[in-house]
Amino acid sequence: MKDILTAPFMVEMIRTTTNMYNHGWDERNGGNISLLLDETEVKEYLDTDHVIRSIPTGFSAPELDGRYFLVTGTGKYFKNVQYAPDVNLGLVRLCDGGETAQLLWGYTDGGKFTSEFPAHMMSHVARLKVDSANRVVMHCHPANLLAMTYVHTLDEREFTRTLWQMCTECIVVFPDGVNVLPWMLCGTNEIGEATAEKMLTARLVVWSLHGIYGAGKDLDETFGLIETAEKAAEIYMKIAHLPRVNTITDDMMHQLEERFGVKGREGYLD
């Protein structure tokens, strides 16, 4: 059996959590990540018949029965993952229709998965319906996107268009736009269900006055997705109080669509 700390998925998870903390996106124990794994890659590193303990999930997700996830732990600091991955991360397998998570590795201090686990799993279900290659759900608190929700209308079309207008690459990176939720109590099934519904039409969902959820095919892509939106929000927050002399027009964005073979969300461009 190979050492799980050498597994590519583990190495990349440690790198990503460290990078997110260094970007200032995940203060204290803020933020969480879940990575969907194939059984074949898990079995290279773990005896999947050895269950350390079973943890109730508090929700039902029959679509994910038998699926494996590497998940950040509740109350854990991203800055500590690189030093003690076995404490701050856990690898679980869902069973009983998603109502139970069997711990196969990690959470060695007796902890468990993030309190946003229901929201993550519901978002995984939604994204897999759209794209079977989606494997990552990532939540963090980028300062500029968070600040933007205080001063910008939360209308999804307008929010998306503003971000698209800030950086030439934005419509190329997230042509499906950004969905937005009003403030909701975090850590509940209700916000999980609302986020999952939004995930059916976009890979980015902003939690107003809180943070953002991103989904993608791998950790690198999902990080880059949030990074691009956050850069656009940073530019917006720097210029929002100033008269805008120049902007990226809809005609320019149509040129970008043609050049890069993407299609902006229906009805979002004139």
mmCIF file of all heavy atoms in Angstrom, residues 16 25 71 76 119 167 205:
data_model
loop_
_atom_site.group_PDB
_atom_site.id
_atom_site.type_symbol
_atom_site.label_atom_id
_atom_site.label_comp_id
_atom_site.label_asym_id
_atom_site.label_seq_id
_atom_site.Cartn_x
_atom_site.Cartn_y
_atom_site.Cartn_z
ATOM 1 N N THR A 16 -3.123 23.490 -2.409
ATOM 2 C CA THR A 16 -4.248 24.401 -2.651
ATOM 3 C C THR A 16 -4.701 25.096 -1.377
ATOM 4 O O THR A 16 -4.923 26.311 -1.366
ATOM 5 C CB THR A 16 -5.421 23.634 -3.286
ATOM 6 O OG1 THR A 16 -4.989 23.057 -4.527
ATOM 7 C CG2 THR A 16 -6.598 24.572 -3.557
ATOM 8 N N TRP A 25 -7.808 34.275 1.510
ATOM 9 C CA TRP A 25 -9.192 33.867 1.267
ATOM 10 C C TRP A 25 -9.791 33.068 2.426
ATOM 11 O O TRP A 25 -11.007 32.930 2.511
ATOM 12 C CB TRP A 25 -9.279 33.001 0.013
ATOM 13 C CG TRP A 25 -8.886 33.668 -1.262
ATOM 14 C CD1 TRP A 25 -8.576 34.983 -1.463
ATOM 15 C CD2 TRP A 25 -8.776 33.036 -2.536
ATOM 16 N NE1 TRP A 25 -8.263 35.210 -2.772
ATOM 17 C CE2 TRP A 25 -8.380 34.033 -3.462
ATOM 18 C CE3 TRP A 25 -8.953 31.731 -2.982
ATOM 19 C CZ2 TRP A 25 -8.182 33.750 -4.809
ATOM 20 C CZ3 TRP A 25 -8.753 31.447 -4.325
ATOM 21 C CH2 TRP A 25 -8.372 32.463 -5.241
ATOM 22 N N VAL A 71 -11.980 15.795 2.293
ATOM 23 C CA VAL A 71 -12.693 16.981 2.771
ATOM 24 C C VAL A 71 -11.929 17.655 3.909
ATOM 25 O O VAL A 71 -11.403 16.985 4.804
ATOM 26 C CB VAL A 71 -14.113 16.610 3.279
ATOM 27 C CG1 VAL A 71 -14.937 17.866 3.518
ATOM 28 C CG2 VAL A 71 -14.828 15.677 2.314
ATOM 29 N N LYS A 76 -11.052 23.721 11.347
ATOM 30 C CA LYS A 76 -9.626 23.606 11.033
ATOM 31 C C LYS A 76 -9.133 24.819 10.245
ATOM 32 O O LYS A 76 -9.856 25.394 9.446
ATOM 33 C CB LYS A 76 -9.351 22.326 10.245
ATOM 34 C CG LYS A 76 -9.816 21.046 10.947
ATOM 35 C CD LYS A 76 -9.237 20.915 12.333
ATOM 36 C CE LYS A 76 -9.662 19.614 13.001
ATOM 37 N NZ LYS A 76 -9.207 19.549 14.408
ATOM 38 N N ALA A 119 -23.859 21.402 2.129
ATOM 39 C CA ALA A 119 -23.847 22.290 0.966
ATOM 40 C C ALA A 119 -22.896 21.775 -0.109
ATOM 41 O O ALA A 119 -23.197 21.839 -1.308
ATOM 42 C CB ALA A 119 -23.451 23.713 1.393
ATOM 43 N N CYS A 167 -12.136 42.612 -16.482
ATOM 44 C CA CYS A 167 -10.948 41.942 -17.039
ATOM 45 C C CYS A 167 -11.320 41.292 -18.364
ATOM 46 O O CYS A 167 -12.348 40.619 -18.455
ATOM 47 C CB CYS A 167 -10.425 40.851 -16.106
ATOM 48 S SG CYS A 167 -9.906 41.384 -14.486
ATOM 49 N N VAL A 205 -21.024 30.643 -7.291
ATOM 50 C CA VAL A 205 -22.194 31.114 -6.548
ATOM 51 C C VAL A 205 -21.704 31.988 -5.400
ATOM 52 O O VAL A 205 -21.001 31.511 -4.498
ATOM 53 C CB VAL A 205 -23.039 29.947 -5.993
ATOM 54 C CG1 VAL A 205 -24.256 30.479 -5.231
ATOM 55 C CG2 VAL A 205 -23.482 29.014 -7.119
#
